[in-house]
Amino acid sequence: MLIIGIGQSAHANQFKRVRDVNVACNNALLCNIYIANRSVSLSSFGFRRTAAPDSPVQMVISARPALRGGSNLQIMVDGEMVLELDVSKLSYRAATYEYLYNDQENVTKLMKAVRRGKQVQISYTTRSGRTTAPFSLSGITAGFIFADEAQGRIGSNNALMALSANVPTEADDAIEEVNITNYSSWSDVPADLLTFFGKEAGRCSNETGEGQSRVDGGFSAGLDNGYKLIALPCGDAGAYNYPYAFWMQDGDMFTPLALPVMSNEGPSVSDLAWNIVWDGETRELYAFFKGRGLGDCGTSNRWTLAGEGGTYRFVLVEALEKSACDGIYKEDLSDYKKLWPLN
């Protein structure tokens, strides 16, 4: 089971990192699902798609220096050959060092392979010779679901999840396995939860819910024995930061969940997480609070939902921080300081 909760309105720039996979969608909802490996000259691999209803999916790789003319590209998943392409079959964009591939039959074949694989290996040739670039596929299914949800394709026949399904029924099964209810309006939210909203004494006070019909990114995720994790926007959203609060549902009982965090004074707790991604397969929650829109500073947290049978709690797995807004944004947040774990 694997799901994503969108941490932003679908009409704003969106970026999510799920394990080793990054998803970036711009204001026009052109989405890139990509994996970076800065240790090799072929430094990224992934897929791109516009928001048009019948838009094709492109394979995209970035290489600098350029691939050698007349050479070929071999793409393997877990050591098995999937595609072997002449470089001449790729469209090159020199300004961005990108190579695009548009053959839908082969792109679909590759998508199916990466959905069931653990690592993609790309063998290529530059002026420096032949080498192989490995890319971890951990998080690729989550990336596909997030892009589908951002572009409004969930459940459609041309969703990335449907195109990459390895058997005819797998796409439908995958959607069922998601086991999530996305709240589209406040009227969808359980009435007992609304006591936390719209009152001065409420957890989210007067900042959310009153006079609003739409719920951006709120969801209910099924767990074990009928328990559900509830996430709802809580508080005023800024231009690029969206706050969420969490509850555990047991029948008609709703228990607020706290989030352990690291502060300058040491361990602490928070009621909110910002710009969230929920991975139901690993039961991990990701959050990225941007110091400013570029994402060149801020905080990133990752928690796991531990426990069972009503004793669920969030446990902090990783905390990263970058205080200096220096104009340098790295997708893998490799220049962020690790606050947790301590070693």
Side-chain angles (χ1 to χ4, degrees):
M1 180 181 68
L2 186 147
I3 61 177
I4 294 294
I6 298 182
Q8 301 191 35
S9 165
H11 302 289
N13 284 322
Q14 301 179 42
F15 174 81
K16 298 298 176 190
R17 182 170 62 118
V18 185
R19 284 176 278 176
D20 297 318
V21 174
N22 307 282
V23 185
C25 300
N26 65 16
N27 286 332
L29 292 182
L30 180 149
C31 292
N32 287 285
I33 305 102
Y34 64 97
I35 310 159
N37 184 349
R38 305 303 182 191
S39 67
V40 289
S41 56
L42 197 155
S43 57
S44 74
F45 159 79
F47 302 93
R48 176 176 297 162
R49 196 179 203 185
T50 70
D54 298 321
S55 62
V57 183
Q58 297 177 308
M59 182 195 76
V60 184
I61 60 173
S62 298
R64 185 178 183 185
L67 303 179
R68 177 174 292 174
S71 66
N72 69 348
L73 198 72
Q74 294 179 330
I75 304 177
M76 296 161 282
V77 174
D78 296 339
E80 295 186 9
M81 185 69 67
V82 179
L83 294 178
E84 187 169 3
L85 307 171
D86 291 335
V87 170
S88 61
K89 300 293 184 181
L90 308 177
S91 174
Y92 181 52
R93 293 185 176 179
T96 54
Y97 308 102
E98 289 182 338
Y99 290 85
L100 309 179
Y101 183 62
N102 297 299
D103 184 290
Q104 290 305 284
E105 181 178 353
N106 280 336
V107 171
T108 300
K109 178 181 177 181
L110 180 58
M111 291 171 62
K112 291 176 182 290
V114 300
R115 271 282 301 278
R116 64 175 182 263
K118 295 182 178 179
Q119 185 187 73
V120 62
Q121 304 94 23
I122 303 178
S123 177
Y124 64 100
T125 303
T126 65
R127 63 171 180 259
S128 301
R130 191 82 177 174
T131 190
T132 298
F135 298 92
S136 167
L137 294 170
S138 178
I140 191 66
T141 301
F144 284 167
I145 296 175
F146 180 79
D148 282 339
E149 197 157 17
Q151 294 183 338
R153 301 182 194 271
I154 289 291
S156 70
N157 291 332
N158 71 345
L160 296 174
M161 285 294 290
L163 295 174
S164 62
N166 286 287
V167 295
T169 61
E170 184 178 326
D172 295 332
D173 291 343
I175 297 303
E176 290 177 3
E177 289 173 3
V178 163
N179 197 21
I180 181 174
T181 299
N182 289 302
Y183 297 129
S184 59
S185 71
W186 285 99
S187 62
D188 298 330
V189 176
D192 289 342
L193 261 182
L194 297 180
T195 60
F196 293 92
F197 297 84
K199 297 180 180 179
E200 292 295 340
R203 186 181 187 189
C204 296
S205 67
N206 281 327
E207 298 171 315
T208 310
E210 288 192 346
Q212 301 182 28
S213 60
R214 203 174 79 180
V215 182
D216 286 327
F219 65 84
S220 167
L223 300 171
D224 304 316
N225 300 319
Y227 287 90
K228 295 179 181 180
L229 173 69
I230 308 290
L232 287 170
C234 177
D236 291 329
Y240 37 79
N241 287 310
Y242 289 73
Y244 290 82
F246 303 87
W247 291 262
M248 184 58 56
Q249 179 181 0
D250 177 14
D252 57 0
M253 299 290 293
F254 298 88
T255 304
L257 294 177
L259 297 154
V261 295
M262 290 297 292
S263 68
N264 292 332
E265 291 75 32
S268 184
V269 294
S270 173
D271 290 334
L272 302 175
W274 305 77
N275 305 329
I276 61 171
V277 172
W278 166 251
D279 184 339
E281 182 179 1
T282 61
R283 293 190 176 179
E284 288 187 326
L285 176 71
Y286 301 77
F288 181 29
F289 181 90
K290 295 182 179 182
R292 60 180 183 177
L294 178 62
D296 58 335
C297 54
T299 58
S300 172
N301 289 289
R302 178 163 57 98
W303 300 269
T304 185
L305 185 63
E308 58 184 16
T311 61
Y312 293 102
R313 68 192 186 283
F314 281 115
V315 177
L316 185 63
V317 176
E318 182 183 65
L320 306 174
E321 181 183 58
K322 183 181 176 184
S323 57
C325 301
D326 55 9
I328 301 173
Y329 171 63
K330 297 183 178 181
E331 293 93 341
D332 59 1
L333 305 185
S334 57
D335 57 344
Y336 274 55
K337 178 184 177 181
K338 182 182 288 188
L339 301 180
W340 186 264
L342 296 177
N343 52 5

